[in-house]
Amino acid sequence: MFEHLEKYAGDPIFRLNGEFHQNTHPRKVNLTIGLYYDDAGCIPVLPSVRTAEQRRASKAEPRPYLPMEGLASYRDAVQRLVFGADHQALQTGRVATIQSVGGTGALKVGADLLHAAFPDSEIWISDPAWDNHHSIFRGAGVKTHTYSYYDPATKSLRFDQMLAELRVLPPKSFVLLHPCCHNPTGVDLSQEQWLELIPVLAERGLIPFMDMAYQGFGAGLDEDAFAIRAMADAGLVFLVANSFSKNLSFYGERCGGLSVVCGSAQEAQDMLGQLQAVVRRIYSSPPWHGGQITSDVLNDPALYALWVREVADMRARIAIMRRQAHEQLRAKLPDYDSSYFVKQRGMFTYTGLSMPQLLALRERHGVYIIDSGRIAIPGLNTGNINDFTDAMADVLRAG
Ligand code: KET
């Protein structure tokens, strides 16, 4: 019955992460998936999360269904985190927010919602992209396209080209944007560039979808939300997906949020109903445990303050690894320009390594980087950075 179905090629990120775990190289290095590892190579259990969990574990709590839109305390906390507590869009009740099943779930609910609201609209996604952006929107029936974003020659943003392409899109087109820590390139718009882009989106009547999976990993929790807040200031109607997978180290708990910034409080109230309807027909309601713990951390002032420091520590460690990679490569291979390690931000850096070089890294050195040449920086630590830069220097020398 199902013979006509194509074989699934596997996901380029999850597949290579799996292959890494099969490899028996004694000093292998995993730079595949966007997971934060600490300096000992472990996925941290944040003390803020641990404390919240211990408090709850001491009570026998029933597990009812959450409402379709999730916990009210969680949704309020998401709004404060994403928009800033005092933002006028919140004060005027213009934002509808749900607790989502990770950042991916937020994108899926948003994609279904947009497709139902504007069945003829199509979406434009950065080139290069997190591949799943294309899959999620195609899966929701939305045709996907790309806009220019990254210039491999300069390892930086093609901003003028990007702007020129967005300027001529049909009105009501969807545009997927990363407010910070662009995946896969690590190249972001500057604040000035956002302020130039936002009027173009507004004039053209485009519908931005902001995917913020790495809030706090770029410049800071507030700084990383700059573009979202500026967009809301400018009165745009748009969507925001946010994720707690990375900044709460909560991957498997599947916690995120979807916020829709509307034109009025009434529109936001009606929008919440639409979001409930979409959720009900996909997964009915979000998970209880992760929702409660996330809400506890974000709503308890002491735990929140602790979490802010934990995020700052993760951000600082990423920056240190970027600097060390750059400095070591400069020493080992003076003719190679490795400054992109420190210019790019967030979890990822885009190396531009060729497929033969990536294969040599895997086979000769046990260094795993996905086929696009994207490195997940937190896989580096003080114990393996030297091996990594030796391996890079080796394959780069070979050409
Ligand atoms: N958006 C972006 C831009 C993103 O990089 C990820 C995850 C997600 C959303 C998904 O977030 P979640 O809350 O886990 O549903 N990216 C890493 C893991 C993955 O591919 O799923 C990655 O790129 O390695």
Side-chain angles (χ1 to χ4, degrees):
M1 195 62 89
F2 295 121
E3 278 165 357
H4 62 291
L5 293 181
E6 267 177 37
K7 208 166 147 50
Y8 179 45
D11 177 81
I13 300 171
F14 275 72
R15 188 186 57 237
L16 199 65
N17 184 47
E19 280 175 30
F20 170 84
H21 290 289
Q22 308 294 318
N23 186 311
T24 53
H25 192 289
R27 300 189 60 80
K28 61 185 181 174
V29 182
N30 186 2
L31 307 177
T32 61
I33 196 159
L35 276 173
Y36 178 87
Y37 297 94
D38 62 19
D39 201 51
C42 301
I43 298 170
V45 179
L46 301 184
S48 57
V49 167
R50 189 83 193 103
T51 306
E53 284 184 331
Q54 277 163 343
R55 285 182 194 163
R56 284 202 175 262
S58 60
K59 303 178 258 180
E61 287 186 290
R63 298 296 197 272
Y65 293 124
L66 292 187
M68 293 171 271
E69 70 278 16
L71 278 172
S73 57
Y74 179 114
R75 295 160 51 226
D76 287 347
V78 165
Q79 292 195 337
R80 291 196 302 273
L81 186 65
V82 170
F83 296 92
D86 302 324
H87 199 283
Q88 48 83 15
L90 300 183
Q91 311 281 328
T92 52
R94 286 199 295 119
V95 186
T97 297
I98 62 164
Q99 173 188 341
S100 66
V101 181
T104 308
L107 289 163
K108 167 62 179 164
V109 171
D112 277 11
L113 176 96
L114 286 175
H115 186 54
F118 304 100
D120 298 327
S121 290
E122 298 175 357
I123 190 161
W124 273 259
I125 294 171
S126 68
D127 175 25
W130 180 52
D131 293 330
N132 212 19
H133 281 148
H134 285 281
S135 307
I136 291 167
F137 281 90
R138 281 185 198 142
V142 181
K143 197 161 174 216
T144 71
H145 308 269
T146 58
Y147 58 81
S148 296
Y149 189 82
Y150 176 79
D151 182 357
T154 59
K155 290 194 167 69
S156 61
L157 189 65
R158 300 176 71 186
F159 183 64
D160 292 342
Q161 183 72 22
M162 171 185 180
L163 214 56
E165 290 173 20
L166 296 182
R167 233 181 221 124
V168 295
L169 295 188
K172 303 211 166 47
S173 295
F174 316 139
V175 183
L176 199 298
L177 295 158
H178 304 222
C180 64
C181 309
H182 182 263
N183 179 4
T185 67
V187 173
D188 290 331
L189 276 69
S190 67
Q191 296 197 350
E192 293 69 33
Q193 287 169 329
W194 280 114
L195 295 178
E196 212 178 321
L197 173 68
I198 288 168
V200 171
L201 299 167
E203 280 154 26
R204 199 68 202 161
L206 305 176
I207 304 173
F209 199 146
M210 305 288 265
D211 182 11
M212 183 160 60
Y214 303 94
Q215 185 178 8
F217 279 33
L221 286 164
D222 287 320
E223 292 84 342
D224 290 350
F226 171 85
I228 290 168
R229 297 172 188 185
M231 215 171 252
D233 287 340
L236 267 71
V237 167
F238 64 103
L239 288 78
V240 185
N242 76 290
S243 167
F244 293 109
S245 298
K246 331 280 170 166
N247 58 18
L248 209 61
S249 194
F250 228 31
Y251 309 88
E253 295 292 354
R254 314 305 298 132
C255 288
L258 175 66
S259 298
V260 187
V261 182
C262 298
S264 67
Q266 184 60 51
E267 196 179 277
Q269 211 176 321
D270 296 343
M271 175 53 68
L272 188 62
Q274 291 302 320
L275 293 170
Q276 288 168 325
V278 176
V279 165
R280 179 66 170 146
R281 65 177 177 255
I282 311 180
Y283 57 82
S284 193
S285 61
W288 187 95
H289 178 82
Q292 297 288 1
I293 300 300
T294 303
S295 170
D296 290 349
V297 172
L298 298 182
N299 285 300
D300 178 303
L303 291 185
Y304 183 79
L306 176 59
W307 176 66
V308 170
R309 289 199 297 279
E310 291 161 347
V311 174
D313 287 347
M314 292 192 277
R315 179 171 67 246
R317 199 186 86 71
I318 292 172
I320 291 169
M321 285 304 118
R322 286 183 172 283
R323 207 165 47 243
Q324 288 189 4
H326 171 49
E327 283 166 8
Q328 292 191 11
L329 279 170
R330 194 170 50 187
K332 291 175 189 179
L333 211 60
D335 293 338
Y336 178 70
D337 181 6
S338 60
S339 61
Y340 62 91
F341 271 94
V342 284
K343 288 182 188 150
Q344 300 173 353
R345 272 202 322 193
M347 255 204 187
F348 302 113
T349 228
Y350 218 47
T351 60
L353 291 171
S354 67
M355 204 54 223
Q357 289 171 324
L358 294 169
L359 288 174
L361 278 172
R362 282 176 217 163
E363 286 156 15
R364 286 214 293 272
H365 303 283
V367 172
Y368 277 68
I369 298 175
I370 60 173
D371 293 357
S372 66
R374 181 198 83 170
I375 289 181
I377 296 282
L380 297 173
N381 55 52
T382 46
N384 68 18
I385 182 102
N386 197 37
D387 292 345
F388 164 71
T389 52
D390 276 348
M392 280 282 281
D394 176 51
V395 301
L396 286 164
R397 250 184 236 115

